[in-house]
Amino acid sequence: MKKELLIRTFQLDDCQGLVPLYDQLGYPVDVATLAHRLPTMLTKEDYHLLVATMNDQIIGFIGFVQMKMFEADGDYIRILALVVDETSRRQGIAQALLNRVKFFAKQKDIRNLAVNSGITSEREAAHAFYENEGFIKVSFGFKCQI
């Protein structure tokens, strides 16, 4: 049976399949939380979530938002989350997801994409992926919990 990659818009039924991917991304969550969080977020027109499936199994997703730039005129796309199941990596799935976002951006005449990625050793492969896809390191990210 040939495996066929399909990239489509998130559906509420996808929450169960996203749970293990969130865990692999380092953000454990349960189905009920996702079933509340994602539809709430995705009612905002600038937020988007695409899932990658193979043989009806969710194997990856990318979440992104269209935002205004403060430092220049126009919009940019910020990738909020990108993950491919560890058993399906290095098969071009993350690249296919990212290409769909790039296509979305070009359709809206948006030329800039941004992404943050953790600075742990576990993220080194992700950093190499982003650099291979044309991203360059331009800043440090900071976080503060209050």
Side-chain angles (χ1 to χ4, degrees), residues 3 5 54 59 84-96:
K3 294 181 179 182
L5 179 65
M54 200 169 282
I59 57 170
V84 172
D85 184 77
E86 58 195 7
T87 64
S88 299
R89 292 180 185 159
R90 302 206 179 274
Q91 297 178 36
I93 297 161
Q95 185 178 46

Side-chain angles (χ1 to χ4, degrees), residues 24-79:
Q24 291 176 38
L25 195 55
Y27 302 103
V29 68
D30 59 59
V31 174
T33 300
L34 279 184
H36 178 264
R37 177 189 304 160
L38 296 176
T40 301
M41 180 188 314
L42 296 170
T43 61
K44 297 169 180 29
E45 69 178 271
D46 292 332
Y47 282 79
H48 306 273
L49 178 57
L50 301 174
V51 297
T53 66
M54 200 169 282
N55 298 332
D56 296 322
Q57 292 285 99
I58 296 174
I59 57 170
F61 72 86
I62 190 166
F64 61 100
V65 62
Q66 180 177 338
M67 301 177 77
K68 299 283 182 200
M69 291 190 280
F70 275 91
E71 69 279 12
D73 292 334
D75 292 0
Y76 74 103
I77 300 293
R78 174 160 296 280
I79 297 167

Side-chain angles (χ1 to χ4, degrees), residues 89-119:
R89 292 180 185 159
R90 302 206 179 274
Q91 297 178 36
I93 297 161
Q95 185 178 46
L97 285 162
L98 185 56
N99 284 341
R100 287 287 297 270
V101 174
K102 288 177 178 179
F103 179 78
F104 173 91
K106 286 179 183 176
Q107 294 294 104
K108 296 191 169 263
D109 201 30
I110 296 171
R111 300 288 177 231
N112 294 289
L113 277 72
V115 64
N116 286 14
S117 184
I119 54 174

